[in-house]
Amino acid sequence: NYGVACDGNDEDSCADGHYICDPASGGLVCNDDSEANTDVPDQYFFDENCDGIDGDASRAVFVSVVGSDLNSCTMSEPCQTIQYAINYAKLNGRDHVYIQAGAYPETVVLTSEISLYGGYDDDWKRNYQEILGHKVEITGGQNDDGEYATISAFDVQSAAIYDLDIFGPIVTENDSTGRGKTSYAVYSYNSSVKLERVTFHQGDGADGMDGNE
């Protein structure tokens, strides 16, 4: 049945329930791949389950610089900050955070089993971040532990980051001994975080103490 249109776009009409989105036919077609009906955002940017987005809207929360953290973090009503989206995802049993292009000046603390996906444009179409209108930039600051980091992970497992530009913060503060504090694009402690198609930009740490003559 591979390539045969599902009756009425009903995936149950396919052999073994396998199906895949086929924009050319305007709907679902049968596929002999048991994983074909699972759409995880990848480097092919293809809507494999016909829900209108590269990814699975049912397992995701959505972030846009023009959204609001008073919203429900859906595609039509996205939230505004990545951290709020991560917290919302955790509370609501979602494991994907889809981020629309733009600049996000915030510190982000990752959570286990929740992954971040960038590359989405204003219409939630996904592509390489080098393509105009698809770049997601995150610039950090001082986190709750007093460290200057853009993304932090503490005892985080099974998380991932895809298609993001991460800028280390510019630091001018010294610690109590006079030593300059460090800038981290990603600060990870006892964590396992997968990174793909992520660009890091160095941030400047604060000046250290004067040396002895």
Side-chain angles (χ1 to χ4, degrees):
N1 288 333
Y2 179 82
V4 177
C6 300
D7 295 337
N9 287 336
D10 178 5
E11 61 267 24
D12 292 334
S13 67
C14 293
D16 300 324
H18 303 166
Y19 62 95
I20 190 170
C21 182
D22 179 24
S25 67
L28 302 173
V29 296
C30 298
N31 188 287
D32 58 5
D33 179 0
S34 62
E35 298 299 321
N37 53 6
T38 300
D39 189 3
V40 176
D42 55 27
Q43 70 271 31
Y44 303 111
F45 313 115
F46 185 60
D47 178 11
E48 295 177 283
N49 62 352
C50 291
D51 65 351
I53 193 170
D54 176 24
D56 189 338
S58 68
R59 61 191 291 190
V61 297
F62 296 80
V63 188
S64 169
V65 291
V66 296
S68 169
D69 286 348
L70 298 177
N71 287 342
S72 53
C73 298
T74 61
M75 191 187 305
S76 60
E77 294 186 348
C79 45
Q80 187 178 44
T81 63
I82 297 168
Q83 189 61 59
Y84 183 86
I86 291 172
N87 297 342
Y88 191 94
K90 182 178 180 180
L91 288 173
N92 290 275
R94 310 292 176 90
D95 61 348
H96 288 181
V97 175
Y98 298 161
I99 309 169
Q100 203 171 76
Y104 296 83
E106 57 176 302
T107 60
V108 175
V109 180
L110 299 180
T111 295
S112 292
E113 299 182 352
I114 295 178
S115 296
L116 310 181
Y117 297 86
Y120 292 97
D121 68 7
D122 291 347
D123 295 318
W124 295 109
K125 303 300 181 185
R126 193 162 174 272
N127 212 320
Y128 292 109
Q129 59 179 334
E130 293 82 6
I131 304 298
L132 183 65
H134 290 269
K135 180 173 290 189
V136 175
E137 298 180 347
I138 309 177
T139 57
Q142 191 173 27
N143 62 24
D144 291 341
D145 290 329
E147 299 291 347
Y148 286 85
T150 301
I151 294 181
S152 301
F154 303 97
D155 299 307
V156 170
Q157 306 299 319
S158 301
I161 302 171
Y162 301 89
D163 300 291
L164 299 180
D165 260 26
I166 303 174
F167 291 77
I170 305 300
V171 184
T172 59
E173 181 185 0
N174 290 28
D175 64 20
S176 59
T177 68
R179 295 182 176 89
K181 289 196 170 183
T182 302
S183 171
Y184 300 95
V186 174
Y187 183 90
S188 177
Y189 174 79
N190 193 34
S191 298
S192 176
V193 180
K194 183 178 181 180
L195 305 172
E196 286 192 9
R197 299 179 302 279
V198 175
T199 303
F200 297 100
H201 301 268
Q202 175 182 320
D204 293 332
D207 293 336
M209 296 183 294
D210 293 334
N212 295 323
E213 294 184 1

